[in-house]
């Protein structure tokens, strides 16, 4: 019996991860997919999903921070103090 | 005129002379002198008034005064010796002083005097012993003579002949007729010297008093008439009216009238006015006044010469002042206009600044609002996008979960493999005695096939 392999790290970005995930889904939703391959792919899909969720969360945090700064910014205010 | 030299037989009224042995009566000088004296005194027992012109007046140390009374007529000159004894002189002087001092007994003076006739034997002279004088006669004579002379000169057109001459604008060359060393000369020259002008003075020394004075003064005037001078000045200090007689003399008057140069007279005191004054071009009252007159004429010319220049200077000064005033007014106007313009510009700039601030503030406000709105929209849209992606991931995850064999096994499904690890998909693939490995949710079990029973596919 072969042991499931550790999924490859996500090398690209979110879009690449989603694209890979869509491809995995098409593959595992095929009835002919080998169960061993299925397990590997599901594991990979879970990794990609985690990656994507993490990116979404990071993006959400970054967007919240950025938009909060924009909403509260005073266009005529003094520049930030330095030192 | 009586023949005073007549001889002839002695008058029988005379005292007889002593017999001299010749049969004739002979007088000694003394006898004759006495006889003459007696006759004279008898003929003129009291004082007589006699008039004539004083000549050869002398004042010896004795205190007496001697002179001759002279009268010139067509027939010749008559002369009478006069003696004024010291004791009578005081009375005469008193009379002269009463007349205001205007008459003084000097040579050439026409006088009317009173005295006693006598014969002065030591000199063999008929002599008038003067006792009194009539000053009014002298003054009157002088006045009459002066008036007559003025009339004559007027009739001859000479009275204003000299006045018709043009006076030089700058009478700097002056011929002076005066007595050198006199106060009159000093007064005149002092006046000229004190002026700022360079007078060229030529003084002709003359006698200004006495019988020779008229001729001396007239000759000097005539002499200067031929010289290169601008004006002739005749000056003499004050004195008795009789002292100034020369300047009432016809010789002097005619010399002045005929002088080709203007003549300025400055004779006597201020109250005196002589014939010379009447005919002169200008009559100054004193020598000092004559000097002042000349200085004044030169000063007038000087001023006349200076005035145009002064007028130009004054005009230029006025122009400069006007220009300065105009400049100051223009500067003030420019300053006011500039100030107003500056204020206007400042106001405009302030207005613009205010508008800029308002507009900028509005714009910035709008920008701020837009930015905030944009941020909100960005966050909102981003959240939606992220939510979509989240949901999509959920969907994908669900789909993955559906395919996850682990979840199937958790529900009781299992996976069976052969010894070689290959999946068992069909009963037909197995025979009795074959060992198979079944994986369930929590582990794997090994089994040996004892029987197969294929079921029909529903």
């Amino acid at each position: 019996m072969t042991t499931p392999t550790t999924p490859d790290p996500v090398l690209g970005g979110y879009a690449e991860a989603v694209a890979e995930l869509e491809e995995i889904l098409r593959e595992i939703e095929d009835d002919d997919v080998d169960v061993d391959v299925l397990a590997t792919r599901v594991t990979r899909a879970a990794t990609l999903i985690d990656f994507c969720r993490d990116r979404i969360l990071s993006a959400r945090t970054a967007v919240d921070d950025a938009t909060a700064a924009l909403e509260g910014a005073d266009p005529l205010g003094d520049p930030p103090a330095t030192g | 005129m009586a023949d005073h030299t007549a001889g002839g037989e002695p008058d029988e009224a005379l005292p007889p002379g002593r017999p001299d042995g010749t049969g004739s009566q002979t007088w000694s000088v003394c006898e004759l002198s006495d006889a003459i004296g007696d006759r004279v005194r008898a003929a003129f027992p009291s004082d007589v008034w006699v008039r004539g012109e004083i000549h050869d007046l002398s004042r010896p140390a004795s205190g007496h005064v001697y002179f001759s009374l002279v009268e010139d007529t067509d027939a010749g000159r008559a002369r009478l010796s006069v003696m004024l004894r010291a004791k009578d002189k005081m009375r005469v002087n008193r009379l002269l002083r009463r007349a205001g001092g205007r008459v003084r007994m000097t040579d050439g003076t026409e006088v009317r005097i009173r005295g006693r006739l006598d014969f002065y034997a030591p000199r063999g002279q008929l002599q008038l012993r003067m006792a009194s004088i009539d000053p009014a006669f002298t003054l009157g004579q002088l006045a009459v003579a002066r008036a007559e002379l003025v009339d004559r000169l007027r009739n001859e057109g000479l009275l204003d002949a000299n006045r018709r001459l043009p006076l030089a604008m700058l009478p700097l060359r002056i011929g002076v007729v005066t007595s050198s060393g006199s106060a009159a000369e000093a007064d005149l020259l002092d006046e000229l010297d004190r002026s700022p002008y360079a007078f060229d003075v030529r003084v002709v020394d003359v006698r200004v008093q006495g019988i020779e004075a008229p001729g001396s003064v007239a000759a000097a005037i005539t002499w200067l008439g031929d010289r290169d001078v601008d004006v002739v000045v005749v000056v003499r200090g004050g004195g008795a009216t009789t002292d100034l007689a020369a300047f009432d003399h016809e010789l002097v008057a005619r010399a002045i009238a005929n002088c080709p140069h203007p003549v300025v007279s400055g004779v006597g005191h201020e109250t005196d006015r002589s014939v010379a004054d009447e005919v002169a071009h200008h009559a100054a009252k004193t020598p000092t006044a004559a000097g002042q007159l000349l200085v004044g004429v030169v000063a007038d010319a000087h001023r006349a010469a200076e005035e145009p220049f002064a007028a130009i200077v004054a005009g230029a000064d006025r122009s400069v002042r006007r220009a300065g005033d105009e400049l100051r007014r223009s500067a003030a106007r420019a300053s006011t206009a500039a100030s107003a313009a500056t204020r206007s510009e400042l106001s405009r700039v302030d207005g613009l600044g205010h508008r800029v601030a308002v507009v900028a503030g509005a714009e910035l406000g709008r920008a701020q609002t837009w930015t905030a709105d944009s941020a909100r929209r960005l966050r909102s849209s981003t959240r939606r996008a992220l939510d979509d992606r989240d949901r999509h991931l959920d969907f994908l995850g669900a789909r993955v979960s559906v395919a996850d064999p682990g979840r199937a096994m958790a529900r009781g499904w299992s996976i069976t493999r052969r010894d070689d690890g290959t999946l068992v998909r069909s009963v037909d693939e197995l025979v009795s005695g074959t060992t198979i490995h079944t994986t369930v949710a929590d582990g794997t079990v090994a089994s040996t096939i004892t029987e197969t029973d294929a079921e029909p596919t529903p």
Side-chain angles (χ1 to χ4, degrees), chain A residues 22 29 36 53 71 76, chain B residues 364 376 392 394 399 417:
Chain A
E22 295 279 4
E29 285 173 346
D36 290 333
R53 287 196 188 283
E71 284 183 278
L76 296 177
Chain B
L364 287 172
R376 278 191 295 274
H392 185 58
D394 289 343
R399 286 169 62 190
R417 300 177 190 271

Side-chain angles (χ1 to χ4, degrees), chain B residues 89-409:
Chain B
K89 194 167 66 175
M90 291 177 61
R91 181 171 60 252
V92 169
N93 282 337
R94 191 164 57 245
L95 289 169
L96 293 176
R97 280 195 297 273
R98 282 181 191 166
R102 288 179 292 170
V103 175
R104 198 155 67 186
M105 293 174 56
T106 55
D107 281 358
T109 303
E110 184 87 6
V111 292
R112 175 173 178 262
I113 59 177
R114 179 171 61 82
R116 182 68 62 85
L117 271 175
D118 201 352
F119 186 78
Y120 184 53
R123 298 182 67 89
Q125 280 184 330
L126 185 66
Q127 188 178 60
L128 183 74
R129 291 186 179 180
M130 180 178 173
S132 183
I133 188 168
D134 177 12
F137 169 83
T138 301
L139 294 174
Q141 283 293 106
L142 288 174
V144 169
R146 190 185 299 141
E148 289 175 351
L149 177 56
V150 169
D151 282 345
R152 282 201 301 277
L153 294 171
R154 182 181 293 112
N155 292 336
E156 295 177 31
L158 293 176
L159 193 62
D160 57 355
N162 193 256
R163 268 193 296 279
R164 289 196 294 265
L165 297 175
L167 183 61
M169 283 187 65
L170 284 172
L172 292 170
R173 298 172 301 176
I174 301 175
V176 178
V177 178
T178 190
S179 173
S180 286
S182 66
E185 180 193 33
D187 289 347
L188 172 68
L189 297 183
D190 182 58
E191 201 63 32
L192 300 181
D193 288 344
R194 287 195 296 112
S195 78
Y197 308 114
F199 287 101
D200 178 14
V201 180
R202 174 181 290 187
V203 176
V204 180
D205 183 26
V206 297
R207 297 289 305 277
V208 294
Q209 188 172 330
I211 295 171
E212 297 174 358
S216 176
V217 171
I221 293 170
T222 303
W223 186 81
L224 284 171
D226 295 332
R227 299 300 178 272
D228 200 12
V229 297
D230 298 318
V231 65
V232 174
V233 185
V234 181
V235 291
R236 187 211 187 282
T241 303
T242 51
D243 290 346
L244 309 178
F247 300 93
D248 285 326
H249 201 281
E250 189 165 356
L251 281 177
V252 173
R254 289 187 180 278
I256 292 173
N258 292 314
C259 182
H261 305 306
V263 176
V264 174
S265 65
V267 176
H269 293 304
E270 293 189 6
T271 55
D272 298 314
R273 184 162 181 88
S274 65
V275 177
D277 291 332
E278 299 291 344
V279 295
H281 197 284
H282 279 79
K285 291 186 178 301
T286 63
T288 296
Q292 290 169 342
L293 186 148
L294 293 173
V295 171
V297 170
V298 176
D300 287 345
H302 183 205
R303 272 195 297 276
E306 288 287 336
E307 272 170 4
F309 182 71
I312 290 170
V313 171
D317 190 46
R318 281 196 299 276
S319 296
V320 169
R321 276 203 301 276
R322 274 200 299 272
D325 292 343
E326 185 59 34
L327 190 58
R328 276 190 289 278
R329 282 196 291 275
S330 298
R333 284 199 299 274
S335 174
T336 302
S339 180
T342 303
R343 279 199 300 276
S344 173
E345 281 303 304
L346 279 176
S347 175
R348 198 167 74 87
V349 169
D350 285 347
L352 290 174
H354 180 68
R355 286 171 56 194
V356 166
V358 169
V359 170
E363 287 298 319
L364 287 172
R366 278 194 293 276
Q368 189 177 24
T369 302
W370 181 84
T371 303
D373 288 347
S374 296
R376 278 191 295 274
R377 284 162 52 204
L378 175 61
R379 186 169 56 184
S380 174
S381 60
T382 306
R383 278 178 177 171
R384 274 198 306 275
L386 292 174
D387 288 347
D388 288 347
R389 279 158 182 75
D390 231 5
R391 281 191 295 275
H392 185 58
L393 275 181
D394 289 343
F395 172 67
L396 292 179
R399 286 169 62 190
V400 171
S401 294
V402 168
D404 185 0
R407 293 177 59 89
M409 285 186 289

